[in-house]
């Protein structure tokens, strides 16, 4: 999916990042920093705590990942230094991938996503081998702290990504518990699309005079996307009927269909499969390994249609979808 950025005239080289990171972003095709990157990177490099009110799509990941990579302490080579908490496994994986992309040329940097649903042994082995950056969902991070497998002493930087989403998913107590376990925390960055009272309280309690950066989210629609609306009457059955007709008449490449409940993902996927399309349901009850496989299958064209709840689909990064319904 493509993302549109409101870019500003400054360049990455003005932001104070080391050359190797300038080169990494330019290899990825980033020509200019997005507004949140331009405003936030210098403060994070300076060591300030930051609060970013910004949504996915604004480039917020690079806004914290680039300066935090620049600030890694090389002496503590294989101990975790940066911990990122993210609400979902998909977002954790996506953020870990971004850290890896930006640090690909640095041989000794290891980034580890840890999330519920994945085999403990795999994570334990990787934690044992060592890594500087851990990106995890709160529940699993807590488990590893309790087991003693995730060492907290050397973590100097913490990021709370999509804090309002963590609140919505009931992770706030876990997040606070984790915040209380970080004796060496020097810097904290908190990102949230919205700022409900509970998130403000966390910022007040745990952040030290944070710089606040708000990126107004304009409801932009990429002009490459054509939007259509079809109104049906007669409930689920007539929607399925209409959907069948759309699929028959449209040329499509990859289709993502959103429904509200887990049950509907399964029901609808079964109905569409019965029409002869290769379709799979994606919801929070499906095992993580299977979810990753499903997303891979959509990416490689082995599945045409994915029926998902918005929670399960958060952080999906799939190119070449022709239709979202
Ligand atoms: P995020 O808001 O962090 O989820 O980023 C959204 C997308 O924008 C990701 O695919 C990034 O790779 C991409 N991106 C981030 N910063 C830039 C930039 N300065 N120029 C172009 N693309 C970017």
């Amino acid at each position: 999916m493509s993302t549109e950025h409101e870019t500003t005239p400054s360049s990455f080289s003005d932001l104070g990042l080391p050359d190797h990171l300038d080169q990494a972003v330019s290899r990825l095709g980033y020509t200019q920093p997005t507004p949140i990157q331009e405003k936030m990177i210098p403060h994070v490099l300076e060591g300030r705590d930051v609060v970013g009110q910004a949504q996915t799509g604004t480039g917020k990941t690079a806004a914290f990942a680039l300066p935090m990579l620049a600030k890694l302490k090389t002496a503590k080579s294989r101990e975790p230094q940066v911990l990122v908490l993210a609400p979902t496994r998909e977002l954790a994986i996506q953020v870990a991938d971004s850290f890896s992309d930006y640090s690909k040329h640095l041989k000794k940097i290891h980034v580890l996503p840890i999330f519920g649903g994945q085999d403990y042994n795999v994570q334990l082995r990787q934690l044992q081998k060592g890594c500087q950056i851990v990106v995890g969902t709160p529940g699993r991070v807590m488990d590893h702290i309790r087991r003693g497998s995730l060492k907290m002493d050397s973590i100097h930087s913490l990021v709370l990504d999509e804090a309002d989403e963590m609140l919505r998913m009931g992770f706030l107590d876990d997040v606070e518990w984790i915040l209380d376990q970080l004796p060496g925390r020097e810097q904290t960055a908190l990102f949230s699309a919205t700022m409900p009272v509970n998130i403000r309280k966390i910022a007040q309690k745990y952040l030290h005079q944070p710089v606040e950066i708000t990126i107004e989210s304009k409801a932009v629609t990429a002009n490459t996307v054509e939007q259509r609306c079809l109104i049906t009457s007669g409930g689920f059955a007539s929607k399925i009927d209409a959907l069948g007709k759309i699929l028959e008449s449209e040329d499509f490449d990859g289709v993502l269909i959103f429904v509200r409940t887990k049950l509907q993902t399964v029901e609808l996927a079964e109905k569409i499969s019965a029409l002869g399309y290769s379709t799979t349901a994606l919801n929070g009850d499906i095992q993580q390994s299977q979810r990753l496989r499903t997303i891979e299958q959509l990416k490689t064209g082995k599945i045409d249609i994915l029926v998902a709840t918005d929670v399960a689909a958060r952080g999906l990064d799939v190119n070449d979808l022709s239709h979202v319904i």
Side-chain angles (χ1 to χ4, degrees):
M1 272 177 266
S2 66
T3 319
E4 285 228 324
H5 292 291
E6 185 193 319
T7 43
T8 44
S10 80
S11 77
F12 274 103
S13 54
D14 297 334
L15 299 180
L17 290 166
D19 288 347
H20 64 85
L21 291 173
D22 282 348
Q23 287 155 15
V25 291
S26 111
R27 269 197 298 275
L28 289 168
Y30 300 4
T31 48
Q32 287 179 324
T34 65
I36 191 154
Q37 293 162 3
E38 190 193 17
K39 292 188 178 129
M40 187 168 277
I41 288 173
H43 292 299
V44 181
L45 284 173
E46 230 176 68
R48 295 286 304 267
D49 282 358
V50 288
V51 171
Q53 190 170 349
Q55 293 178 333
T56 295
T58 51
K60 66 182 168 62
T61 314
F64 63 80
L66 292 170
M68 287 194 175
L69 279 168
K71 296 186 71 199
L72 285 181
K73 299 174 184 173
T74 45
K76 297 179 176 175
S77 59
R78 281 273 185 156
E79 290 168 20
Q81 298 183 44
V82 177
L83 173 64
V84 183
L85 296 178
T88 63
R89 311 165 234 219
E90 284 75 17
L91 184 65
I93 292 170
Q94 199 177 307
V95 170
D97 283 348
S98 296
F99 269 104
S100 300
D101 286 344
Y102 304 143
S103 61
K104 220 169 232 160
H105 54 290
L106 297 171
K107 293 248 158 11
K108 292 194 175 131
I109 301 297
H110 298 273
V111 186
L112 181 62
I114 53 174
F115 43 83
Q118 197 191 30
D119 188 346
Y120 268 103
N121 289 325
V122 173
Q123 294 175 356
L124 287 171
R125 258 200 313 277
Q126 286 169 320
L127 283 167
Q128 200 122 49
K129 272 188 8 204
C131 60
Q132 296 86 353
I133 297 149
V134 175
V135 187
T137 50
R140 188 56 71 100
V141 167
M142 255 174 106
D143 288 349
H144 280 291
I145 298 173
R146 286 212 176 99
R147 284 167 172 239
S149 40
L150 175 57
K151 298 268 180 293
M152 306 296 275
D153 314 353
S154 51
I155 294 177
H156 51 73
S157 299
L158 177 82
V159 180
L160 304 177
D161 199 5
E162 301 199 354
D164 51 352
E165 209 49 42
M166 292 201 271
L167 168 75
R168 197 169 74 87
M169 293 172 74
F171 288 143
L172 214 57
D173 289 345
D174 296 0
V175 168
E176 287 212 51
W177 186 88
I178 294 167
L179 275 157
D180 289 330
Q181 315 298 314
L182 287 161
R185 183 165 53 93
E186 293 165 9
Q187 186 170 33
T188 307
L190 182 153
F191 289 84
S192 201
T194 56
M195 280 294 162
V197 167
N198 289 353
I199 302 294
R200 283 246 163 256
K201 278 193 186 145
I202 294 255
Q204 275 158 10
K205 184 167 169 196
Y206 291 97
L207 274 63
H208 177 67
Q209 300 182 340
V211 178
E212 289 203 28
I213 293 160
T214 301
I215 300 299
E216 295 295 337
S217 58
K218 286 186 284 177
V220 285
T221 316
N223 53 16
T224 48
V225 177
E226 184 195 344
Q227 305 212 18
R228 280 178 280 173
C229 164
L230 180 67
I231 296 168
T232 60
S233 57
F236 197 57
S238 70
K239 284 189 199 167
I240 301 232
D241 203 33
L243 187 60
K245 289 191 179 119
I246 293 172
L247 294 175
E248 243 174 61
S249 59
E250 293 279 319
D251 272 339
F252 61 81
D253 228 351
V255 182
L256 184 56
I257 303 179
F258 286 109
V259 291
R260 199 167 48 83
T261 65
K262 293 174 190 172
L263 191 63
Q264 285 170 339
T265 61
V266 178
E267 275 178 16
L268 188 58
E270 278 172 7
K271 293 263 196 301
I272 303 173
S273 294
L275 298 175
Y277 302 104
S278 59
T279 313
T280 303
L282 184 76
N283 65 50
D285 284 348
I286 294 168
Q287 262 218 338
Q288 177 60 13
S289 52
Q290 178 60 40
R291 285 162 74 176
L292 294 177
R293 249 198 318 276
T294 302
I295 292 162
E296 209 39 51
Q297 285 173 330
L298 183 70
K299 282 186 178 175
T300 53
K302 292 207 177 83
I303 298 175
D304 297 324
I305 303 170
L306 197 60
V307 186
T309 52
D310 67 341
V311 172
R314 278 188 81 82
L316 269 190
D317 191 7
V318 184
N319 293 318
D320 303 328
L321 286 179
S322 64
H323 291 69
V324 177
I325 299 180

